[in-house]
Each structure stands twice: as structure tokens, then as C-alpha cells.
Amino acid sequence: MRRIIGIGAAFAAAMTVTGPAMAAGFPDKDITFVIPYGPGGGFDTIVRKLSPVMQKYLPNKVNVVPKNIAGGGGKKALVTLYRAKPDGYQIAIFNMPGMLLDKILGQKTDYDIDKFTWIGRIAVDPYVLTASAKTGIKSWKDLKGKSLKYAITNYNSGSYVAGRILSEAMGLKVTFLPGYKGSAAISLSMVRGDTDVSLFNAASGAKWAEGGDIKLILALEDKSQWPKVPTVADAGHPDLSILSVDRYVGAPPGLKPEIRKVISEALMKTLADKEIQAWSKKTGRPVNPLAGEAAEQQLQKLAKFYARYKDALAKR
Amino acid sequence: MLDAIGGMAGALGTASLHLLDLNSLFYIFLGTCIGLLFGAIPGLGGTTALALMIPLTFGMEEADAILMMGGSMAAATTGGSTSAILLNTPGTAPNAATTFDGFPLAVRGRAGEAIGAAATSSALGGLIGIFTLILVIPIVKEIVLLFSPPEFFLLAIFGLCAIAVAAGGRLLQGLIGAAIGFACAFVGFDPVSGVVRYTYGVDALWDGIKLVPALIGMFAIAQMIDLGVKGGSIAEDVTRVKIQRISDGIRATFRNFGTVVTGSAIGTFVGAIPGVGGTVAAFLSYTTQVQRDPNPDIPYGQGNIRGVIAPEAANNATDGGALVPTLAFGIPGSAETAVFLGAMVLHGLEPGPRLLFDHEDVVFTLILSLTTACVMATVIVLLLAKPMTYLTLVDAPILVPTVLIISLVGAYVINGEIVDVIVALAFGVLGYLMIRFNYPRMTFTIALVLGEITERSFFQAMGISDGDWTIFFTRTVALILVVMCILTLLVPSIRAVMERRTAVKSGAHPGGTT
């Protein structure tokens, strides 16, 4: 008798654990929004900005709690997410195409980037090619034939990937100098004239240009946001506008479609929220929402594009 | 330019109005208390305090948020000095150098005096740092641009020269300790090639051996093992403890005002270099102090009060210095300012090179908060100093488990990772063995702290010069640093030779004194 009650209790417990997650009861507890870097950077900032707004659009009044899991250039967070239960209570922001790269270059990782469940895209942060004012470079035409130094954090960084592809496509002579601690150190090396060129995201590039120490040379966009700055299409390389820093949201592999839908819809509503829109305008940080399926297709397109440059990216 | 200065004066006036407002003072006070607490608990520290505060600031007025965060920034290292002195555990990494003389003072029953001196020099250092910042606002850009990778490298080498001093007569043991420290500093991602090294398949070591858990082990845990083995209490002779010596510490600070000024200058300067920070500043200040004072009344490392004043003035002065790159280019000068700027973005402000012109209210509110909190934190610490010094009288069976638990929890909460606890324990054992076999832990710490920046900046310098090593001699600032390093290493021997000669000439001490 006791055993039967025991089995019955276990069964009931199992029901209560799996039950709500399967049905419309999601979410019934707080959702953790993982940031794969330490506090203070661009990815951290946008997650912290979105989280409180996202709570409004999720059913059952749960909280969205940002959590920094820094380490291994973001890989630690990805491993954590990959191994987490696909129940929708753990999602993360992804740095693309940086995080696609290991797979493209055939490097071993403890996760398969293609297997994550994609919730959506938050933003596409376009690049702008800049030159140190000390180099005397005024236009992209001046770049040809010059020996250029380009500071990067490491060979896995988005800035390296985009810079390498750009220099290959345009036939530039660029030496990449790794070891710089983040974009602040890179900007300073340009201001001092230690290094010559760099790709920045449009917002910070524009900020630096205001200071006058760094010149905007080429916008990696279809249509330049600055009237005086030409685009990559003007320089004869329209396909390079795909280079950008993209912020995606993903969940562990195997997330149920109905839960994915709930989170994805909440994310899309958050990105359309008046507060977020106003903030995006004020700080110059773009928001370009793309929901689940469409985001997934866009990622496949990105992967295909970057795979074309596989050999160039393996160069040192 | 004149307009800008006029505008700044106006903004400073507006910011000062906050001081008359009880509400603003409350937020500074709140920030200060949180900063002190997070600073005193090993492992937490200012960056953690700020990161945890971010959600709290959402509902706040921008100015109140800045006041609170500024309070925490200024107070954390002041709080950390008390743990360094009482428990030989730097509460935050920049307090590491304070343990060298702070703890021996506590052992001799002079913890009150040490805390008094640490708190007072913290306040003075902080104020001098901020004052210097305001003075140099017109030339902030030039200051930041003085330093490039070759200068970072030489600054690190200058810091490493401290190993010779820190070895304290046990040169071989000191060098072995430093070599271990270097070896530990190079674990994980190679900052240049990005290749992972010396991790032996342990993923958790990818990012290297983290400084704070290592310091917690090396100092707190090692000390507790030692205390547990020996028994007794931290103060060796309980009857000699004079708790009422806090005012002596305050007086000692003012008597050694030169030390305060030098330390603050070093702190402000080093703080202004992005990516270097308070830990390095405190070490540099300590070494400089030891070199300036060749014949101390009490040897350094054995409880010289100036060995507490120098690093504490320096690590608080870095707060002002860290704002130099922020004002010049809108980029953070320290981990704390990075989180602070991130929080400002959340409040709808995008910091950039024009921060000082477009958002001078933010800048001056922060400066005001840092200034007020410096003084406030010191007053609070001085008021609490007396009860805190009783810690040195607590018997080992009570103190050891308590401190061990706090330290291990501290190591865990930094990243919420058990591997950091293991690192702390491993370094605890290593630290205990070093105490037991009389190896200086100081040289180990200096190498661990400076290893990464040494390597990174060397390769960067080589990169920008296309492999031409003369880059270390052909730039003015670099050359000055080279000369300083050479003098640091040669002056003690030259001085010894000179002393011997005069001694021989006068015939007073034919054998020489050194």
C-alpha cells in the first residue's frame, strides 16, 4: 500500500513539474537572461535595458533577471546555456557573427552553435570604417597600398573577422595587432596614432568623430547615415554591408515551439515598446527586431557568407 | 575654453546644491555604507557593488543614482583596508599592498593605529585625487595620450623592481615566489595569440587564475591555517594591545604628509591610465615609499605605519584618476567606471569624447559624490575602528572558522563558481607553506598582479613598432621610466658603497653597517 502511495506521489510530482511547462502556464517563475560578458559593455547594457520592459509582456508577472556569465570570450555562458534544461527559464544574448566563427573555422567547442533555439534578433549594429586623424587618411581611396595597423582584442573578435574580410575584399595591406582590452583601448590606440584603422559600431564611431581624433571613412551600410561618408557600395563592394555586430537571443537546444513563441512574442513587443524606442533614438543604439524563424534564417545566411572567407579568417 | 571653464564652474555650483539636500546626502550615505561593506568582505569589492546596484537605480532620478554609485566607488577600498589590516586579507584587490605592513601592526597590537592611518590616508588620497582631476581637466587628453603600450610595459617593469625590495633580504626565496607568481599569471588565454595555455584541460582556467580568489587564498586562508595551527589570536601579546590608538594613526598620517602626497600623485597618475588601476597603483606607491625611506625606524614589512599610508592614499586617489580618461574620451579608466558608464547608458546617456561638454552635470555630480563619500567613509571607519580591532583579540577556535567561511563564500560569489573556491583553497595551502618555510608572499603577489600587463604591453609595443625594441628608449616618458627602473635597482647598492666609504674614512665603523 505504502509503495503504491509512493508511486502515486512521485507520479503526481512529475505531473506538476512537467505539466505547467508544457501548457499555457509558462512562465511560472523568473526567467534568467544571460549576458556572456562582464557588466558594463554593450551586450550587458542592452539586456539590462530590455529585461524590466520584457517583464511587462510576459504572462503571469514573472521577472526577467539579467545574469553575467563572463569567461572564455563568451564561451562559458554558451556552454552553460547549452547544458541548461530547455524549459524557457534560461535565455541568453548572442554576439553574432563572432559566436558562429568557431564552427566555421572548424574549431572544437563544447556546444554546437547550430543547435540552439533562436528566440529572435534584437539589433544589427552596423560598422563604420575609421582612420586615425594622425594618419592623414581622408578617404577610402587613400587606403590602397598603405601598410595599415589595426588593433583587435583577439582573433576571435567580431572586429577582427569583419576587418579581415574587409581587407581581403578591398585588397588592403593590414597588420592586425591583438591584445587590446576592449574597444576603449582600441580607440585610444587610434587617437594616439599607434594604430591606423579600425571598424567601430556606428554609434561609437560617430561619437569619436565628433571629438575629431578619428575620421569616418566608409559606412558598412546600404545607405549611409552620414551624408558625407560614402558606403561600401560606393567603394565597389556592396556585399560588405552584411558585416555588422548582431545581437541575437537564443535558448537551449530543444525548446518547445509553444514556449519559444511566448518568449519571442514578448521580446518583439519589448523591442517595439515606446520606452525602448525612445532610448534607442536617444543613445543611438539601434534596434532591429526579427522574430524566431526569420532570425534563424538570417543566421544561416550569415554563416554562409562568413564560410566563404574561411581561409582568410584562419590567417594570422 | 574660457566658456567651458565658466560652464564647468556653473555645473559645479549646481552639483554642490545637492549637498544642501538631505535626500542627496542620504543616497551618498547609502552608497558609502554599501561600498564599505562590499569592500570589507573579501571577494566582493566596488565593481560587484555597482553591478548589483544597477537594478536599484532604475526607479531613481539620474542624479540620485549617480550619487549612490559614486558613494560606493569611493568607499570600497576604504572598507577593504580594514580586512587587510585585521585579517591580512585584502578586502578588494587594491588593498593587497596594505597587508604588508598593516597586518604586522595588528599582530603587534597596533591595529587601531593602522586603521586610523589607513582611513585618514584614504580620505586624503581620495580628495587629492579628485582635486588633481579638477585641476587637470583642461589637459586631460594630453595626459591620457602620454601613455602607450611601451610606457605600460615599463611601468609594469618598474612595479616588478619592487620584488627586490619585497624580498626583504631573502632574495632567493623572493625570486622563487615571484617566479611562481609569474607562472600563475600566464595561465589561460594568451592575450596576444588567443591560444589557451597551461590549463591542462580544465575549462575553468581559460580565463586564467583570477586575482581575487588567489589573493583570498594567499592571504586570508593561509593566515587562518597558520593561526589555526599555532593557536592564540591575531595580536600576539593580548596584554599589549592598545585599542585607543586610532588617533595616533590619524596623527601619523598628517606627520607623514609627504608620503600621502606622493602616494596620491602615483594613484592619480596610474588611475588615469586605462586598464592599469588601483592594485598596481598601491604596489607602486608602496615600493616608492620603501625606496624614499632607506633607514626606516621600523623595517618595512614588519609594521611600519608609512607602509600603510602609502598604498591606501594611492588606491583611493585612483578613483579621481580613473575619471581622467572618462572626461577626456568618455571611456572608463577602471572596472568601476566601466560599470558606472554602463549604468549611465541605461539612463539614456551615451558617454563619448564630448561627455564633459554635453553632460557636465553628470560629471560634477559624480565628482561631488566621490568627494563627500571619501570623507564619509573615513568617518564611519574611524567610528567603527575600536570595535573592529577587538577582532585581533578573538581566539583562533572562533576566528578561524568564521574567517574561512567568509573568505570561501567571498571567493564563490565573485562569479558564482566553485572553481574559484578551489583556487582560493589551493592558494591557501601554498600561502601557508610559504609562511611556514619563510618565503615572502609579497613577491609572489607582485608578480601575479603585474604578469599579465607586462606580457600584453610588451607584445603590443613590439606590434606598433614593427618589432623595433628601441621604442622603449626613444619616447620621453618611456625613457624616464627606464631611468627610474635603473635607479631603483642601483641606488641601494650605490648607497651601501658610499656609506661604507664614509664609515671607513671616519673610522667609526670599520666593518660597515650594511
Side-chain angles (χ1 to χ4, degrees), chain B residues 56 98 150 175 180 202 217 254 370 409 436 444 478 488 507:
Chain B
L56 287 180
T98 311
L175 288 176
I180 300 173
V202 182
F254 283 100
L370 288 173
V409 170
R436 181 80 178 66
F444 167 88
T488 300

Side-chain angles (χ1 to χ4, degrees), chain A:
Chain A
M1 189 63 202
R2 188 176 282 170
R3 184 184 290 168
I4 295 173
I5 292 174
I7 292 170
F11 194 68
M15 285 294 289
T16 42
V17 169
T18 53
M22 287 170 72
F26 179 84
D28 62 358
K29 59 177 186 189
D30 292 352
I31 294 179
T32 306
F33 202 152
V34 173
I35 304 139
Y37 308 104
F43 284 85
D44 178 61
T45 304
I46 198 149
V47 169
R48 285 176 192 276
K49 187 73 202 175
L50 296 180
S51 296
V53 181
M54 199 166 157
Q55 286 168 199
K56 289 199 297 191
Y57 296 110
L58 280 166
N60 306 338
K61 293 198 169 149
V62 296
N63 296 312
V64 177
V65 186
K67 184 179 176 191
N68 300 90
I69 303 185
K75 286 192 188 120
K76 202 171 108 191
L78 297 198
V79 174
T80 312
L81 190 75
Y82 195 71
R83 294 179 185 160
K85 241 175 142 182
D87 53 8
Y89 293 108
Q90 197 159 172
I91 57 174
I93 189 165
F94 283 69
N95 179 359
M96 295 300 189
M99 288 172 171
L100 290 174
L101 216 66
D102 278 318
K103 178 131 187 179
I104 293 171
L105 295 181
Q107 278 158 13
K108 213 180 134 280
T109 47
D110 291 337
Y111 51 84
D112 183 348
I113 192 79
D114 296 336
K115 293 216 171 112
F116 284 101
T117 312
W118 301 107
I119 304 288
R121 183 181 73 187
I122 296 175
V124 174
D125 216 347
Y127 278 120
V128 56
L129 180 65
T130 62
S132 161
K134 295 219 165 117
T135 57
I137 292 167
K138 293 207 173 59
S139 129
W140 61 272
K141 288 172 194 140
D142 302 338
L143 298 171
K144 293 261 150 90
K146 260 199 178 160
S147 177
L148 302 163
K149 290 198 181 86
Y150 185 129
I152 54 173
T153 49
N154 56 54
Y155 291 110
N156 297 318
S157 65
S159 173
Y160 167 70
V161 173
R164 174 64 88 186
I165 292 176
L166 182 97
S167 70
E168 288 289 318
M170 292 180 65
L172 304 177
K173 226 171 104 196
V174 179
T175 312
F176 291 91
L177 302 179
Y180 286 79
K181 266 190 163 172
S183 61
I186 293 171
S187 335
L188 273 188
S189 81
M190 300 253 301
V191 175
R192 285 191 300 254
D194 289 348
T195 57
D196 308 308
V197 288
S198 185
L199 289 170
F200 281 116
N201 68 54
S204 64
K207 284 276 172 197
W208 282 102
E210 272 175 31
D213 299 304
I214 285 174
K215 303 258 175 267
L216 304 183
I217 302 289
L218 214 52
L220 277 67
E221 296 175 273
D222 296 330
K223 192 177 171 299
S224 177
Q225 40 184 305
W226 307 279
K228 284 185 185 157
V229 181
T231 66
V232 271
D234 299 328
H237 299 279
D239 56 333
L240 291 181
S241 67
I242 196 175
L243 298 172
S244 56
V245 179
D246 300 356
R247 307 181 203 277
Y248 281 77
V249 178
L255 182 71
K256 293 202 168 57
E258 55 270 29
I259 296 176
R260 174 187 181 182
K261 202 170 151 227
V262 174
I263 310 176
S264 185
E265 275 174 6
L267 180 69
M268 291 306 120
K269 282 179 193 157
T270 307
L271 295 172
D273 185 272
K274 252 191 257 155
E275 187 192 334
I276 299 297
Q277 287 290 333
W279 174 79
S280 158
K281 218 171 205 171
K282 199 170 160 195
T283 60
R285 301 196 172 207
V287 169
N288 322 71
L290 210 56
E293 300 280 334
E296 203 173 314
Q297 283 159 18
Q298 180 61 24
L299 275 177
Q300 282 160 4
K301 206 173 126 194
L302 283 181
K304 222 181 244 164
F305 173 83
Y306 286 97
R308 270 173 36 203
Y309 289 92
K310 195 180 157 192
D311 295 334
L313 290 173
K315 278 189 198 167
R316 286 293 174 262

Side-chain angles (χ1 to χ4, degrees), chain B residues 431-454:
Chain B
Y432 173 68
L433 292 176
M434 289 176 89
I435 299 177
R436 181 80 178 66
F437 294 103
N438 209 12
Y439 278 71
R441 285 177 290 171
M442 239 190 266
T443 59
F444 167 88
T445 315
I446 293 169
L448 182 65
V449 168
L450 295 173
E452 203 247 25
I453 183 173
T454 311

